[in-house]
Amino acid sequence: MKVHHFLARDRFQTLLKALAAAGYEVIGPQVRDHAIVFAPLVSMDQLPRGIIDDQAPGHYRLERTDSARLFDWTTGPQAIKPLTFAPRETLWKSERQPDGRLLFREQPPEAQPTAVIGVRACDLAALSIHDRHFLHDAHPDPHYRERRQNLFLVAVNCLRSAATCFCTATGDGPRVQHGFDLALSELDEGFVVEAHSKEGQTILDALETTPASHDQLEQVEAGLERASAQQTRRLPEGSLPEMLQAAVAHPHWQTLNDRCLTCGNCTAVCPTCFCQTHVDELSLDGQTASHDRQWASCFDPDHSTIHGTVIRAERPQRYRQWLTHKFGTWVEQYGRSGCVGCGRCIAWCPVGIDVTEELDALSKAPEDAPAKAPGGEERS
C-alpha cells in the first residue's frame, strides 16, 4: 500500500535542498519568453507561481492569477525529451595527422545526475516509449542511456487540463502511473507526496512531512476527476491502424495542401518524435571534423529524398506519413500509439491543425469525392 505524505508549501524549498545535497543538478519549470520551459532551478521563487495556461489550436498564452500554486499550468512547448535525446550532439571527431592519416575519436557520452521537477503523466508515457526505442532495442544508444540513467524524476499529477489535452483518450493521464521517483499532487496549502523508487524514498525521508490526511487525499482524487472531465477531445473508436490503412487514399488528405505549412513544429514539440539526421562539420583549416546527430522532421523534404528523388514531395503526403506513423504503424513497432495526448502539436501548430479533428474526418467515408492520394494521383 502506498504511503502518502504531506509537504507544506513553505517547506517546498527543502525538497530542492535535499536534491542538491544528494548531488543532483535540479531542473524545473520557469517562465521564459512568455512560455514555460525547463531550466536550472535553485529557488522555489523561480517556479511559475500563480501561472495558468490558456491553450487552443494555434494558441498558447500564460495568465497570472492570485493563486499560490506552482504547478497549475499543464504543458509548455518543451517536454523532457531534450534532456535525454539531445537536440544536437557530437558522436565522433576526426583529426588529420602530420603523415596525412585520419585519426577518429569517439565522443563518449557525458551526463551528470539531474533531478527534473514538474514532469507530467504524458511526458512519462513518452519517456517510456523512448526507452523502448533507445534502450531496449537491439542496439542501445549509449548517449541516451547515460543521460537516462542519471535522471531523477519528480512528477506532478495534473489537477487541471488544458483545452488541448486528451491524455484520457490515449490512457496516459492525468494521473502519473509509472517511471517516476517522487510524485506531487498540489493543493492550496501544500503537496501530497509519494515515493515510487528507492531513490525517491531516500529524498522523501529527508523532508519534514506529515501523514497526508483523508481530506487531502480526497481533494487530490477530486482534482484528478476534474482534470479528466475537462478533456473534451476524443479519438475515433476502433483500431486506428486499420482505419488509417483503409484511409490511405482518402480525399481528406488533399485538404492539408492548403493548410499544413510543413514547418515541423508538431514534431519539434512532440515528446515522442525521434527522427534524426547526421551532419559533418569541417574546420576552416580542414584539419578536424565532427560528426553530429541532430533532430530532424518527417516534414522536411530531405527526410524522403533517395538518390535525388523526393518520395513525399507534396505537403499532404508528409502529413499523411506523420499521422499514419504516429497513430498507425507505431503500434506495430512499439505495441502502442506514438501519441500520449499532450496536445502540444495542436497548440503549437501555427495554423491550428487539430490531430483529433483530422483523425475524425479520416474515419468517415468520403462523400461523393474522387479517391485521390495526397500527391493528387487517382487511385482505383
Side-chain angles (χ1 to χ4, degrees), residues 101 221 233 257 335 375:
R101 292 182 301 110
E221 293 303 315
R233 283 176 163 78
N257 195 49

Side-chain angles (χ1 to χ4, degrees), residues 31-340:
V31 176
R32 300 280 177 84
D33 298 324
H34 308 288
I36 290 179
V37 299
F38 286 101
L41 183 68
V42 176
S43 169
M44 63 180 291
D45 293 333
Q46 296 172 263
L47 293 167
R49 185 188 304 272
I51 297 294
I52 62 173
D53 48 353
D54 177 29
Q55 300 194 46
H59 176 88
Y60 177 93
R61 296 291 186 275
L62 297 182
E63 299 178 2
R64 185 172 296 279
T65 70
D66 294 332
S67 171
R69 296 198 181 196
L70 307 174
F71 302 99
D72 219 15
W73 48 277
T74 55
T75 61
Q78 178 191 29
I80 60 174
K81 179 170 73 172
L83 300 178
T84 51
F85 174 37
R88 180 161 181 159
E89 61 185 329
T90 299
L91 302 183
W92 49 263
K93 292 183 177 182
S94 62
E95 182 178 357
R96 188 178 300 278
Q97 302 300 296
D99 60 3
R101 292 182 301 110
L102 290 178
L103 178 64
F104 292 87
R105 289 191 178 92
E106 182 180 359
Q107 292 297 110
E110 295 182 4
Q112 67 180 85
T114 302
V116 188
I117 295 179
V119 183
R120 303 296 174 150
C122 54
D123 294 333
L124 289 172
L127 186 63
S128 177
I129 292 175
H130 275 195
D131 283 350
R132 294 193 64 175
H133 176 72
F134 289 104
L135 286 184
H136 307 314
D137 198 7
H139 303 284
D141 185 291
H143 292 258
Y144 179 93
R145 180 176 55 202
E146 184 71 15
R147 287 187 286 264
R148 179 69 177 90
Q149 292 177 345
N150 275 281
L151 279 187
F152 182 100
L153 300 177
V154 181
V156 174
N157 280 312
C158 291
L159 307 187
R160 172 183 168 274
S161 290
T164 49
C165 294
F166 59 100
C167 63
T168 56
T170 64
D172 295 308
R175 186 196 302 271
V176 297
Q177 302 173 46
H178 53 74
F180 57 91
D181 296 288
L182 286 177
L184 307 177
S185 298
E186 186 173 20
L187 305 176
D188 287 339
E189 65 272 23
F191 305 85
V192 173
V193 189
E194 62 178 285
H196 200 256
S197 70
K198 179 181 178 181
E199 294 78 9
Q201 188 64 52
T202 299
I203 296 297
L204 182 55
D205 291 342
L207 307 180
E208 295 182 18
T209 63
T210 57
S213 69
H214 179 71
D215 178 64
Q216 289 167 340
L217 295 178
E218 284 192 335
Q219 288 184 58
V220 171
E221 293 303 315
L224 288 165
E225 291 180 9
R226 182 172 59 251
S228 296
Q230 289 172 340
Q231 298 186 25
T232 58
R233 283 176 163 78
R234 300 289 182 265
L235 297 175
E237 296 182 358
S239 170
L240 288 181
E242 292 180 7
M243 182 274 284
L244 287 166
Q245 182 63 35
V248 67
H250 200 295
H252 180 74
W253 295 114
Q254 198 59 33
T255 68
L256 275 303
N257 195 49
D258 297 324
R259 294 184 291 139
C260 180
L261 304 178
T262 65
C263 63
N265 261 23
C266 52
T267 60
V269 299
C270 177
T272 68
C273 281
F274 55 79
C275 283
Q276 56 192 264
T277 189
H278 292 246
V279 296
D280 292 294
E281 285 197 354
L282 187 66
S283 63
L284 290 177
D285 60 7
Q287 296 301 303
T288 60
S290 65
H291 183 86
D292 295 354
R293 175 174 65 180
Q294 65 184 27
W295 288 2
S297 172
C298 56
F299 285 92
D300 191 327
D302 290 342
H303 189 269
S304 63
T305 298
I306 301 178
H307 299 299
T309 299
V310 180
I311 304 301
R312 291 183 288 275
E314 303 295 330
R315 284 177 288 183
Q317 293 174 324
R318 297 175 209 163
Y319 191 90
R320 182 180 65 178
Q321 158 67 22
W322 176 71
L323 196 72
T324 301
H325 185 208
K326 184 69 62 176
F327 289 91
T329 53
W330 201 296
V331 176
E332 182 179 350
Q333 289 179 280
Y334 302 107
R336 60 151 296 162
S337 162
C339 177
V340 294

